[in-house]
Amino acid sequence: MVDDPWSSALHRLWQAASRAEEVAALADDVYAPLLATPGVHRVVGTRWDGRQVLRYMRALSAGSDTPVIVATTRSMPGAGVREPGGEPVVDRVEAAGLDDAVWPEAEFLREAPGGSVVSCTFRLDQRGWAALTLAVDASADLAAVESRLTQAVDVIVACHTGILQRGREARRGADDALLAEASLQMDSSLDVEDTLRRVARIAVPAVADGALVHLARGEGPEFVAATHVAVQQQRALEAAGRDDPWLAALLARRGEDEDTVFLSGAALDGSPFADPTAATADADAADAGEGHHPTVVSVSPLRARGRVLGTITFVYQRPEARLPDSAFLRSLATRAALAIDNALLYELRRTAVLSLQEHLLPSQLPVTDRWDLSASYAVGDPMLDVGGDFYDAVLRPDGSIALLIGDVCGRGAEAAALTGLARHTLRTLLEEGTDAGTALSRLNRALRQERASRFLTAVVATLAPQADGTVLLSTCSAGHPPPLVLRGDGTVSEVLSGGLLLGVLDDVSYESHQERLTPNDTLVLFTDGLTESREAGGTFFESVLPARLAALRGSDAAHIAESLARQARAFRDSGQDDIALLVARWTGLPPDSGLLPPDHRLEQAALR
């Protein structure tokens, strides 16, 4: 078997290429076997970028183990004639005829014996190319030299391609991880302002050095968030996002069909991102052997569900190789747009639900000189469906006042419709002077005639002042939690009540229970969202409600209503029902006359 040193060396070179993390690591495995070729005296490698700027040169002579390495940023426009196109190009020239403006290797090649040069130029990627050049003498088999040179170049190109591919795969994995994390971060909030801030922060500094988010409005782009790796530059970025006319005009031109656009150089003239010292800085950096990275700006539309919500603008001051590609930015913008759209839709739904809920409740309670009236309503459902709780207070023709509170089973549009029907039916009947039992019976008949698929509970309390300064309390209930009375001395009693749910049977009658209230007594009506709030140990708020109410002795109606609602929300670990309270305090006098001072020590003690 014939021993072929070149074949063995080429095999080792391919093995080294498969493991290399950078092309320069192959130098020893390339230069040594080439110098072992008969007639070859020196090997010189050069690396260029696309602007004919020499970045690197390495020279090694036969019989030497120490290469000469030159790292530089030397601009050589004349070298453009050597830049290869698609395939590697092999040239044979004489060393004496080399032009130093084209061949920076000339100083090494002329020193070698023999005087002939064989050079192969080849492209590494779209941004750069390289050359591998040999100094040979007359004894060299030029065909064999060229063959070995092109084989070595094939390995170098394959190694570089593999490194780029592995880099792309690693970056794709990092991009996927970043996109997944971005989705989690942005989707974790349904608050519009918080979501917009998260969108700006999630990509800095992983994707860009700065970010701006604008929403599309009828009058033009509206600035909503900005962030930058440098605090001082963030202030400038925020100012540009709010007021810069160049940026506003650019964002207004982003059409619905446009993808991400990158701007740099002259395209940024007149913008807040233009760097007037860029040219000088670039020249200074080149002289110093350092890299100055000009500003690049990208603008991506935030498109979700077929409409453009706004734009996200990224500002980069980093090497071109570290700029994200359009596909990644498109995916990031799409995820951001969906998160923003979800937050906007949630906010719109929340506003609509709260508005509808407000219209299902009285805009205000009656104002009288003998009653201190107040109510509290807390939406408990996290999905923000319209609830079925309602309340009202009605002044009646005989001078009495009727308080009503109720709860429709379930939530949503159907519950809201029944809520409106129930409140307005009862209010109309009670205003006309109809007694509470008859009003509830007629409401029950109306629900049955409408074939309502839901039932509801309600209680009507009629308060009639008497000549002796007391109040006759008549209570009529349809399956609703019984009201409580807080007496002036701090005792709490439950009002006797009963009756069948509304909307279950056709013919139902309701009876009233009567008792007396004296000045400074307070009547508290509520829905089961209050009593059924449950703590982690399983205890219902109903069990502590009398003590909590007693601790509020001396408080006005507004404080009692708000305090009980707040305490129930703080108490509950589970249960998301709405909480409605209607509180009436009988003073017998104007509300600001002769009230007992509230004892807040009792309230604090009850919370322990």
Side-chain angles (χ1 to χ4, degrees):
M1 182 176 180
V2 178
D3 182 21
D4 185 353
W6 172 252
S7 296
S8 299
L10 189 61
H11 178 69
R12 290 193 299 273
L13 181 58
W14 276 110
Q15 289 181 319
S18 66
R19 300 187 300 268
E21 295 183 359
E22 57 180 15
V23 174
L26 294 179
D28 292 339
D29 294 294
V30 172
Y31 283 41
L34 287 176
L35 286 171
T37 302
V40 176
H41 295 276
R42 184 162 291 176
V43 181
V44 184
T46 54
R47 177 74 178 268
W48 306 76
D49 69 13
R51 296 172 294 174
Q52 288 78 52
V53 175
L54 178 65
R55 294 294 183 183
Y56 173 86
M57 184 161 57
R58 188 179 197 273
L60 183 64
S61 301
S64 174
D65 294 329
T66 305
V68 177
I69 299 175
V70 179
T72 181
T73 53
R74 190 192 313 172
S75 178
M76 300 185 65
V81 298
R82 296 177 61 197
E83 184 174 349
E87 297 297 323
V89 178
V90 177
D91 293 308
R92 297 181 190 179
V93 295
E94 294 300 317
L98 296 177
D99 183 352
D100 289 353
V102 178
W103 295 78
E105 311 99 315
E107 60 179 297
F108 298 107
L109 297 172
R110 292 194 189 101
E111 298 173 357
S116 294
V117 171
V118 180
S119 180
C120 181
T121 56
F122 53 96
R123 183 159 293 283
L124 290 171
D125 50 49
Q126 295 298 319
R127 295 186 297 270
W129 56 284
L132 193 59
T133 306
L134 309 179
V136 300
D137 61 23
S139 68
D141 181 347
L142 294 182
V145 169
E146 288 185 7
S147 175
R148 294 186 179 188
L149 184 59
T150 54
Q151 287 175 344
V153 166
D154 287 343
V155 178
I156 294 172
V157 172
C159 175
H160 184 73
T161 301
I163 291 171
L164 291 180
Q165 179 62 31
R166 291 193 293 275
R168 283 192 293 268
E169 291 174 355
R171 183 164 180 172
R172 189 178 300 115
D175 287 349
D176 290 344
L178 177 62
L179 289 172
E181 177 64 19
S183 294
L184 288 174
Q185 289 291 328
M186 293 184 294
D187 292 344
S188 63
S189 174
L190 285 174
D191 179 83
V192 175
E193 295 299 325
D194 185 52
T195 300
L196 292 169
R197 287 192 294 269
R198 287 170 185 252
V199 169
R201 289 197 303 263
I202 195 67
V204 176
V207 176
D209 298 279
L212 284 160
V213 180
H214 288 78
L215 290 182
R217 300 298 190 196
E219 60 276 11
E222 176 189 339
F223 167 77
V224 290
T227 188
H228 198 282
V229 291
V231 175
Q232 188 172 10
Q233 293 191 50
Q234 177 167 333
R235 297 192 187 100
L237 198 61
E238 290 174 349
R242 289 190 180 92
D243 305 320
D244 187 77
W246 183 94
L247 182 59
L250 171 67
L251 300 182
R253 292 196 303 269
R254 297 300 99 206
E256 293 192 5
D257 296 329
E258 289 192 65
D259 199 353
T260 297
V261 61
F262 285 87
L263 303 172
S264 61
L268 295 177
D269 288 348
S271 77
F273 312 110
D275 183 0
T277 65
T280 303
D282 194 49
D284 293 343
D287 293 339
E290 301 173 355
H292 173 78
H293 309 303
T295 299
V296 178
V297 174
S298 70
V299 181
S300 302
L302 294 170
R303 185 181 294 106
R305 299 179 176 96
R307 61 194 183 99
V308 173
L309 305 177
T311 58
I312 183 166
T313 302
F314 290 127
V315 181
Y316 314 90
Q317 291 170 313
R318 56 185 61 189
E320 185 179 352
R322 290 182 55 203
L323 295 180
D325 57 33
S326 296
F328 172 80
L329 291 178
R330 182 169 55 250
S331 181
L332 181 61
T334 298
R335 294 167 190 243
L338 286 173
I340 293 171
D341 197 41
N342 286 338
L344 290 172
L345 290 174
Y346 181 84
E347 183 65 23
L348 182 64
R349 176 184 175 86
R350 178 176 180 274
T351 302
V353 166
L354 293 178
S355 176
L356 178 56
Q357 196 80 67
E358 289 176 358
H359 283 82
L360 292 175
L361 300 173
S363 58
Q364 62 181 13
L365 297 176
V367 177
T368 73
D369 59 356
R370 294 188 175 189
W371 287 106
D372 177 17
L373 298 175
S374 187
S376 175
Y377 191 99
V379 177
D381 188 82
M383 296 306 292
L384 284 180
D385 270 332
V386 183
D389 290 10
F390 63 92
Y391 63 83
D392 209 339
V394 180
L395 295 177
R396 291 161 57 83
D398 61 1
S400 64
I401 186 170
L403 306 181
L404 61 101
I405 194 167
D407 185 2
V408 176
C409 174
R411 308 183 63 84
E414 186 178 0
L418 288 181
T419 298
L421 172 65
R423 185 173 81 87
H424 290 291
T425 298
L426 289 177
R427 179 182 179 87
T428 300
L429 292 172
L430 293 170
E431 280 182 328
E432 293 174 350
T434 306
D435 68 87
T438 302
L440 288 174
S441 296
R442 290 179 63 177
L443 173 59
N444 180 74
R445 189 180 312 123
L447 292 173
R448 297 297 293 168
Q449 289 173 348
E450 292 292 330
R451 299 184 182 277
S453 60
R454 300 170 185 258
F455 62 83
L456 63 94
T457 66
V459 62
V460 178
T462 304
L463 304 164
Q466 303 298 301
D468 61 359
T470 64
V471 169
L472 180 61
L473 168 63
S474 299
T475 306
C476 193
S477 176
H480 198 81
L484 297 178
V485 174
L486 172 61
R487 300 292 179 179
D489 61 3
T491 60
V492 175
S493 61
E494 185 176 279
V495 176
L496 182 63
S497 62
L500 191 65
L501 302 173
L502 294 163
V504 178
L505 299 178
D506 289 332
D507 296 316
V508 182
S509 61
Y510 296 93
E511 297 181 355
S512 295
H513 169 77
Q514 295 182 338
E515 59 181 277
R516 296 273 179 166
L517 298 182
T518 59
N520 292 319
D521 287 350
T522 302
L523 177 67
V524 180
L525 294 83
F526 48 85
T527 58
D528 59 10
L530 181 77
T531 54
E532 293 181 1
S533 294
R534 188 189 320 191
E535 66 174 358
T539 302
F540 287 96
F541 191 72
E542 181 179 21
S543 64
V544 301
L545 177 57
R548 298 289 180 92
L549 179 57
L552 294 169
R553 182 180 73 89
S555 299
D556 60 22
H559 182 70
I560 292 174
E562 293 300 331
S563 179
L564 290 178
R566 183 177 62 253
Q567 290 181 44
R569 291 195 301 271
F571 181 87
R572 70 183 175 196
D573 181 70
S574 62
Q576 296 292 328
D577 200 2
D578 295 353
I579 296 174
L581 287 123
L582 182 57
V583 179
R585 179 189 178 102
W586 169 247
T587 65
L589 295 170
D592 58 350
S593 302
L595 294 180
L596 293 174
D599 190 343
H600 295 294
R601 292 174 300 175
L602 293 174
E603 182 178 357
Q604 293 301 317
L607 296 175
R608 297 192 182 103

